[in-house]
Amino acid sequence: MLAPPLGLLGGTFDPIHLGHLKPALAARDALRLGELRLLPNRVPPHRASPFCTPEQRLAMVYLAANEFGLGVDERELRRDRPSWTIETLEELRHELPDTPLCFLMGMDSLLSLPSWHRWDELLSLAHLVVSVRPGWDAAEATAPVQALLARHGTLRVDDLHQHRAGHIWLAHNEPQPLSSTEIRARLAAGNDPGELLPESVANYIRNNRLYAGQSGPVL
């Protein structure tokens, strides 16, 4: 008998905000996940380097996790090289052979999946749980992604409980038009984006004067 599914939400989290958390929490409830873990990464392979240090970002992730009852997995943050999702899933599959793994991502990530390292092996290790993102539509997917959805898409939550991997579940969450870029820009301009952040994270940023005078690429 399989254990309840484990949800995994990866990201740079520079900073972690409600645009990350609300869809993940909605998926946790809808899919009856046994646990939801945050996976902060150190060197994102497809994005610019983070503004905050790994230690600062990890501190914010732990604050958000404690506030919302989530777990934290530090393995990607502890690597001194790019964080490939496939390697993390291989490690977790070895550690948790009887636990379905649900890797959470936005629709933008699904549409770019063929650019991921060893992308065609991901579904052998985990299910993909895809949240709605403003401006991104599954109908715009390239042929390889359309084929993947046709073969692996499911509407049944039980499929994610009864199988260790292999399915794609499209969420129907409320779109969250938030980005870390927008939040950093508000902070750089001297504005307080506290309503877009977990309260504990907002306090940490204020107390440590993070992102003052900074802006940059979408993370």
Side-chain angles (χ1 to χ4, degrees):
M1 183 174 178
L2 297 180
L6 168 63
L8 302 160
L9 177 65
T12 307
F13 301 136
D14 191 25
I16 190 165
H17 55 74
L18 295 180
H20 298 127
L21 293 165
K22 284 187 176 181
L25 293 168
R28 180 187 65 178
D29 296 342
L31 299 177
R32 308 189 307 274
L33 299 178
E35 182 186 358
L36 176 58
R37 293 184 192 174
L38 302 173
L39 271 166
N41 59 46
R42 184 182 189 89
V43 184
H46 300 296
R47 300 177 183 229
S49 296
F51 285 98
C52 282
T53 67
E55 292 75 20
Q56 290 168 329
R57 291 187 291 113
L58 183 61
M60 289 187 280
V61 165
Y62 268 110
L63 289 169
N66 290 337
E67 193 168 326
F68 289 95
L70 308 178
V72 178
D73 191 315
E74 299 183 17
R75 74 186 69 215
E76 291 192 353
L77 199 69
R78 299 306 176 197
R79 295 174 186 156
D80 58 359
R81 54 185 175 79
S83 301
W84 303 114
T85 298
I86 190 71
E87 294 177 349
T88 298
L89 293 178
E90 286 176 330
E91 291 177 4
L92 285 163
R93 174 53 62 222
H94 178 74
E95 295 166 14
L96 303 167
D98 296 321
T99 300
L101 302 177
C102 294
F103 189 80
L104 279 60
M105 62 172 61
M107 181 59 69
D108 53 332
S109 293
L110 178 68
L111 296 186
S112 69
L113 205 62
S115 69
W116 289 34
H117 182 57
R118 293 168 55 196
W119 72 279
D120 53 346
E121 301 175 45
L122 294 171
L123 284 166
S124 68
L125 298 166
H127 304 297
L128 301 182
V129 174
V130 185
S131 63
V132 175
R133 288 290 302 273
W136 301 89
D137 192 325
E140 301 171 359
T142 60
V145 175
Q146 290 283 11
L148 206 68
L149 283 167
R151 287 197 307 271
H152 299 279
T154 185
L155 299 175
R156 297 182 66 251
V157 171
D158 285 349
D159 283 338
L160 279 65
H161 285 253
Q162 296 168 359
H163 303 274
R164 294 172 177 82
H167 292 286
I168 302 175
W169 189 81
L170 302 183
H172 297 283
N173 59 287
E174 181 181 348
Q176 299 293 320
L178 305 177
S179 73
S180 297
T181 299
E182 176 187 354
I183 291 170
R184 290 197 305 271
R186 291 193 186 192
L187 288 162
N191 298 320
D192 188 349
E195 75 280 3
L196 308 179
L197 301 163
E199 183 178 359
S200 56
V201 174
N203 289 335
Y204 180 87
I205 290 172
R206 292 187 197 105
N207 292 339
N208 291 277
R209 296 184 56 79
L210 301 183
Y211 307 108
Q214 296 179 346
S215 61
V218 174
L219 300 176

